Amino acid sequence: MGLTSMAVLLLAIVAAVLLFALTIWLWPRLGRKSVGGVLGRVGMLLATQLTMFAAIGLWANQSFGFFASWADLFGLEKGEGVVVDHSAGRTPVQVVGVAQIKGHGTVPRIAGKVEKVNIRGTESKISSPAYVYLPPEYFQPQYAHRTFPASVVLTGFPGTAEALYKGLHYPQTAQKLAKEKKMQPTILVMMRPTVAPPRDTECIDIPNGPQTETFFTKDLRKALAQQYRIGEKAANWGMIGDSTGGYCALKFAMRHPDSYGAAAALSGYYKALQDPTTGDLFGGSKKLEKENDLFWRLKNEPLPPVSLLVTSSKQGEHNYEDTMKFISLAAKKPTRVSSMILPSGGHNFNTWRREIPGTLQWMGSRLSA
């Protein structure tokens, strides 16, 4: 059973409940003032607490995708890295493997395909891994000469790209919706917004630092359009992200409407965070800081001709008031703003899984092939 499987989490919860009940039941018998009684009480308390911590830890990992497997958790991952040649003249996208999705077949024209790639940014000088989901239609003869829309899907920080298909099930959901004719077949590019780990760049071109914004708005699109049958216009490209990824998605569309025609933020925020993981993002430039504040942009810059989707929950999300403020400021032409507000939901995978089907359908209706 995998680290992120529901079965493991349920077993941990059941074990914690049973040990707690057993401790209550046996406590009177272990109340004797003897070495055996004391050791028994200590043992029962430790076992109960360990199972409770295990259950909480497994839930947190399943919600936020910190570790992808048991081997990853214990540092036992032995798979050797693949050397990617970044010499001049090499293709900016190198396919380094194929990811298998549990429960899906291996025939691309029926089940689609998820390729693990490394993307080299010629302008930003950044290289980053990603997973590219190609829908079944991409391999079918009747679509052989068709270009497809693409949506970049970003995790939060720190996040793992694997969690986007293992935990949030983006390819599986997209394939199901396309089969039901609820969205058009779409290529998904799944990755982290942190292209210069371990630093959280907040998707900014940092002065004298990583040029993350350039990578996503210029290099990424150009490289993937050369590798796959993806359109090159902004109307062919969208971006979806949760938390930090949501902030990045909105910002890229608002600052670069010539690159992304639509963006969706699941539990996103609207101003770059600064903490020990980010370091100095703006190099002392108040101008750069303002330009990356989405509320400032809505009040001081012309509204861009893009489609934006924001999500939140009335109870459980800290961004609810800011989200309603964003909607009121952005709901003016030529910007088109939509929202998905749940009655309750936290900042976690369970909430985002509830929002992803509607988000993918919305994105599918905003992009053109």
Side-chain angles (χ1 to χ4, degrees):
M1 292 183 287
L3 176 65
T4 59
S5 72
M6 184 59 68
V8 171
L9 176 59
L10 291 176
L11 280 175
I13 293 173
V14 170
V17 172
L18 289 178
L19 275 173
F20 177 78
L22 188 61
T23 300
I24 299 298
W25 178 260
L26 294 178
W27 197 260
R29 302 183 186 183
L30 298 172
R32 298 187 304 273
K33 295 181 179 180
S34 64
V35 174
V38 172
L39 291 177
R41 293 195 297 273
V42 171
M44 293 299 292
L45 287 173
L46 285 176
T48 301
Q49 291 181 4
L50 284 173
T51 53
M52 289 180 64
F53 281 127
I56 294 170
L58 286 167
W59 171 82
N61 186 67
Q62 192 177 85
S63 295
F64 297 101
F66 297 121
F67 300 97
S69 65
W70 292 109
D72 188 20
L73 174 64
F74 293 110
L76 301 176
E77 186 63 63
K78 300 299 182 181
E80 296 184 357
V82 177
V83 175
V84 178
D85 191 341
H86 302 294
S87 303
R90 295 289 183 179
T91 174
V93 177
Q94 291 189 348
V95 180
V96 296
V98 177
Q100 297 298 326
I101 297 180
K102 185 178 180 180
H104 277 225
T106 57
V107 181
R109 63 183 177 82
I110 298 175
K113 187 178 183 182
V114 177
E115 294 186 342
K116 184 176 182 179
V117 304
N118 191 283
I119 302 167
R120 176 174 58 88
T122 55
E123 188 169 335
S124 66
K125 308 306 180 185
I126 288 174
S127 292
S128 180
Y131 291 90
V132 178
Y133 163 71
L134 303 170
E137 291 81 1
Y138 189 88
F139 303 96
Q140 296 172 1
Q142 60 269 38
Y143 292 91
H145 302 290
R146 175 182 171 179
T147 58
F148 288 76
S151 183
V152 179
V153 184
L154 299 179
T155 68
F157 177 84
T160 63
E162 292 86 352
L164 293 170
Y165 67 87
K166 289 183 177 180
L168 291 176
H169 308 143
Y170 269 98
Q172 300 92 315
T173 305
Q175 183 174 337
K176 179 176 181 292
L177 291 172
K179 187 175 181 180
E180 294 172 351
K181 306 299 183 183
K182 294 181 179 179
M183 70 172 288
Q184 60 179 319
T186 302
I187 293 173
L188 302 180
V189 184
M190 299 171 285
M191 57 192 308
R192 304 167 68 191
T194 310
V195 294
R199 188 176 188 181
D200 175 11
T201 64
E202 292 290 301
C203 295
I204 291 169
D205 276 356
I206 300 175
N208 301 314
Q211 303 296 288
T212 308
E213 188 168 11
T214 296
F215 175 81
F216 278 108
T217 58
K218 295 181 180 180
D219 292 338
L220 178 73
R221 295 175 65 259
K222 182 179 179 180
L224 290 172
Q226 291 176 359
Q227 178 75 14
Y228 302 103
R229 301 197 308 276
I230 303 174
E232 298 182 0
K233 298 179 180 179
N236 309 133
W237 286 85
M239 184 173 284
I240 302 170
D242 60 70
S243 192
T244 300
Y247 163 70
C248 295
L250 294 176
K251 182 174 68 173
F252 289 151
M254 293 173 66
R255 284 172 57 84
H256 300 274
D258 55 338
S259 295
Y260 293 98
L266 311 186
S267 305
Y269 48 88
Y270 307 97
K271 181 180 180 180
L273 304 178
Q274 291 202 79
D275 57 33
T277 67
T278 66
D280 181 10
L281 294 174
F282 308 110
S285 171
K286 291 296 181 182
K287 179 176 182 292
L288 184 60
E289 184 174 357
K290 288 179 180 178
E291 290 176 348
N292 284 275
D293 182 333
L294 303 190
F295 287 132
W296 184 89
R297 297 194 67 83
L298 289 173
K299 294 176 182 178
N300 296 279
E301 296 284 348
L303 295 181
V306 294
S307 296
L308 307 174
L309 170 66
V310 291
T311 80
S312 187
S313 304
K314 291 182 179 179
Q315 294 183 351
E317 280 280 20
H318 296 298
N319 75 333
Y320 175 69
E321 291 185 2
D322 280 347
T323 297
M324 301 311 294
K325 178 182 176 182
F326 182 88
I327 293 169
S328 67
L329 292 173
K332 301 172 186 177
K333 292 183 179 180
T335 300
R336 299 169 62 191
V337 63
S338 304
S339 68
M340 184 189 303
I341 308 297
L342 300 178
S344 64
H347 198 80
N348 54 53
F349 274 26
N350 183 58
T351 298
W352 299 330
R353 277 192 289 262
R354 295 160 60 196
E355 296 169 342
I356 286 170
T359 299
L360 285 173
Q361 290 183 67
W362 175 88
M363 184 64 72
S365 68
R366 295 300 191 272
L367 301 181
S368 61

